[in-house]
Structures are given as C-alpha cells and as structure tokens.
C-alpha cells in the first residue's frame, strides 16, 4: 500500500465505509483544517504517442483540501465539486502519514482494490464479447 495511491483508490470506495472511518478518526483525534475544501480547475496533461511530447487536453474540475491530524498533514484532490469527500480523504491521508489507524485504512484499501479489479474484469468481459473476429468472415 502506497500513500500516493490512497487518493485514487478511496475515491472508488464505499461511501458508508469511508464515512464510518472518518467519524472514528474525527471523534478520537484532533483534526485541524488547514485549507477548507476548494473547487478549482486544473489542466489535464496528455502524452502524444507519436512525437512523445506532452500537451494539455483541457481542464478538469477538482476539489482539494488540507488538514493536520496529530501533527501530520494530509491532502486530497478529488474529481468534481465534492468538498465532503475531499475532507474525508485528506483526513485519512493525514492519519496514514502519522501512522494512526493503519490497519483500518489498509483493510478498506484492500477491499476497494478488489472491487476496482472486479469491476474492470466485468467491463473487459463485456468489451471482449463485442470483439469481431475477421478471420471468420
């Protein structure tokens, strides 16, 4: 489990489980909000497969926030205008940075990765079912 992957993985996590973890953390630890959740746009960089150069494909709406949990800073960036999720994820990130609740965070992380993998597998099966075999034509 890598700290930089937490943000992406937990955006795909069950909201009820995230809320329960956040409530546990906020009730037992001192959480200081350094930067309130803020919506903004960022440029989306893309790599040109032909030239190998980069270009910007457009802007993406994100929400960011920064908190401090037991002396460790936590940060999150989530897609769209979602201040609640941004605050939850930055709090979890701060806990992970300070070494608190790592067993609960890891458990949710693993279950969410399994869910993401299962979803991708189902989508791949549906896409593969539409594949045309030109050798048979």
């Amino acid at each position: 489990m890598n700290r930089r992957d937490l943000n992406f993985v937990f955006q795909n996590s069950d909201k009820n489980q995230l809320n329960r973890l956040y409530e546990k953390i906020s009730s037992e630890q001192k959480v200081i909000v350094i930067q309130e959740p803020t919506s903004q746009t960022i440029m989306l960089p893309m790599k040109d497969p032909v030239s190998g150069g980069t270009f910007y494909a457009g802007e993406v709406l994100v929400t960011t926030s920064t908190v401090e949990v037991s002396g460790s800073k936590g940060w999150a960036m989530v897609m769209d205008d979602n201040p609640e999720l941004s605050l939850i994820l930055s709090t979890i990130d701060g806990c992970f940075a300070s070494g608190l609740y790592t067993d609960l965070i890891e458990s949710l992380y693993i279950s969410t990765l399994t869910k993401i993998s299962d979803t991708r597998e189902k989508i791949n099966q549906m896409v593969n079912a539409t594949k045309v075999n030109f050798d048979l034509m």
Side-chain angles (χ1 to χ4, degrees), residues 35 38-42 60-65 75 77 80:
Q35 176 200 334
T38 306
S39 294
Q40 54 203 337
T41 57
I42 60 169
V60 178
L61 178 64
V62 296
T63 306
T64 61
S65 62
W75 179 83
M77 177 186 292
D80 296 324

Side-chain angles (χ1 to χ4, degrees), residues 62-110:
V62 296
T63 306
T64 61
S65 62
T66 307
V67 301
E68 184 177 312
V69 181
S70 299
S72 295
K73 289 185 180 176
W75 179 83
M77 177 186 292
V78 299
M79 296 291 289
D80 296 324
D81 182 21
N82 198 338
E84 181 183 359
L85 182 59
S86 178
L87 194 57
I88 289 170
L89 294 186
S90 61
T91 302
I92 292 172
D93 182 59
C95 275
F96 187 77
S98 64
L100 299 169
Y101 307 100
T102 54
D103 54 337
L104 295 174
I105 294 170
E106 186 172 359
S107 173
L108 181 56
Y109 180 87
I110 291 169

Side-chain angles (χ1 to χ4, degrees), residues 10-128:
F10 285 149
Q11 285 185 62
N12 296 291
S13 188
D14 179 57
K15 303 303 181 222
N16 292 327
Q17 290 179 325
L18 278 176
N19 283 329
R20 282 195 298 272
L21 180 57
Y22 173 74
E23 292 299 324
K24 180 173 181 56
I25 293 167
S26 61
S27 67
E28 296 176 5
Q29 301 296 320
K30 184 177 181 183
V31 178
I32 301 169
V33 178
I34 297 171
Q35 176 200 334
E36 292 286 338
T38 306
S39 294
Q40 54 203 337
T41 57
I42 60 169
M43 297 297 288
L44 180 65
M46 300 294 288
K47 184 170 182 146
D48 184 349
V50 176
S51 70
T54 58
F55 65 95
Y56 292 102
E59 293 181 313
V60 178
L61 178 64
V62 296
T63 306
T64 61
S65 62
T66 307
V67 301
E68 184 177 312
V69 181
S70 299
S72 295
K73 289 185 180 176
W75 179 83
M77 177 186 292
V78 299
M79 296 291 289
D80 296 324
D81 182 21
N82 198 338
E84 181 183 359
L85 182 59
S86 178
L87 194 57
I88 289 170
L89 294 186
S90 61
T91 302
I92 292 172
D93 182 59
C95 275
F96 187 77
S98 64
L100 299 169
Y101 307 100
T102 54
D103 54 337
L104 295 174
I105 294 170
E106 186 172 359
S107 173
L108 181 56
Y109 180 87
I110 291 169
S111 68
T112 304
L113 275 182
T114 303
K115 177 184 138 189
I116 291 170
S117 177
D118 291 347
T119 302
R120 283 184 182 164
E121 186 175 323
K122 287 177 186 176
I123 290 171
N124 287 342
Q125 287 176 352
M126 289 188 304
V127 170
N128 287 339

